Amino acid sequence: MKIVPIPVLDNNYSYLVIDTGSGRAAVVDPSDPVAVQAAIEEEGVTLEAILCTHKHWDHSGGNAELRQRHGACKVYGSALDAVPELTNPLGDKEKVTVGCLTFEALATPGHTVGHTAFVLDAGPFGGPPCLFSGDLLFLAGCGRLFEGSPETMLASLDAAVSLGEDTLLWPGERHPPQNPLPHPQTAR
Ligand SMILES: [Zn+2]
């Protein structure tokens, strides 16, 4: 398997996760469809799934265009979160399979009511678990509490912390949001 980080916008990461054996791939939080499409073409893979952590445009802005380009591609995320183009609503602990890749949804509300992180089981490939944390957890901070209480956010962070010590963190943004906040406060 292979994970390709795609820097997008000013501060975000999308991730192209590839089952190299079959050439099937999933993308996490494709905000910029042009950048993501370029990575798909460079890697020569088939996009089968969009894993969308939450509704904000800087994580979901490419869902519609990528769905148009890749007819069989499904969009996974929480039904609580108005994810654009959602085709496959996920509950906590539900799994998504793409080729030999298995992801588990981790309900992590607080930043938004339906925020969902994704945990890739890289065990079959001899790797550690990989947490795609969206706007739950950054490298030095966490996402803003737009739609949840501090208690809700803490419970979600505890869910992330309860993953194995060897878990690799693949955050949705490169650094904690600064003030003034260039964040989609106008998002639904
Ligand atoms: Zn957000």
Side-chain angles (χ1 to χ4, degrees):
M1 59 158 288
K2 179 177 181 182
I3 300 175
V4 181
I6 308 166
V8 289
L9 308 177
D10 289 335
N11 192 38
N12 290 65
Y13 277 121
S14 300
Y15 297 99
L16 189 62
V17 188
I18 303 165
D19 169 22
T20 51
S22 67
R24 299 174 179 185
V27 66
V28 181
D29 284 356
S31 53
D32 178 350
V34 175
V36 171
Q37 180 62 27
I40 289 168
E41 289 175 12
E42 189 170 327
E43 298 294 332
V45 295
T46 303
L47 185 66
E48 291 202 344
I50 292 170
L51 307 179
C52 196
T53 61
H54 64 295
K55 63 192 172 184
H56 290 159
W57 66 271
D58 60 332
H59 296 258
S60 65
N63 290 9
E65 189 170 326
L66 288 168
R67 273 269 294 156
Q68 274 185 344
R69 276 179 174 270
H70 306 272
C73 178
K74 304 221 167 54
V75 180
Y76 297 87
S78 171
L80 300 175
D81 216 51
V83 169
E85 302 285 322
L86 183 68
T87 61
N88 292 56
L90 289 175
D92 189 32
K93 311 289 189 206
E94 282 197 79
K95 293 194 172 156
V96 178
T97 302
V98 176
C100 294
L101 308 171
T102 304
F103 300 86
E104 185 175 271
L106 196 61
T108 44
H111 179 70
T112 63
V113 71
H115 191 286
T116 299
F118 293 93
V119 183
L120 170 65
D121 177 9
F125 306 93
C130 291
L131 170 64
F132 298 92
S133 62
D135 280 356
L136 169 68
L137 184 60
F138 304 133
L139 295 178
C142 68
R144 286 212 159 191
L145 280 64
F146 287 117
E147 298 178 5
S149 67
E151 291 76 15
T152 299
M153 189 59 151
L154 181 59
S156 293
L157 289 167
D158 283 342
V161 168
S162 73
L163 299 170
E165 283 289 321
D166 60 341
T167 302
L168 292 180
L169 175 63
W170 304 80
E173 302 192 6
R174 283 170 245 179
H175 53 70
Q178 308 295 310
N179 286 323
L181 192 66
H183 201 275
Q185 305 211 36
T186 55
R188 285 176 296 165

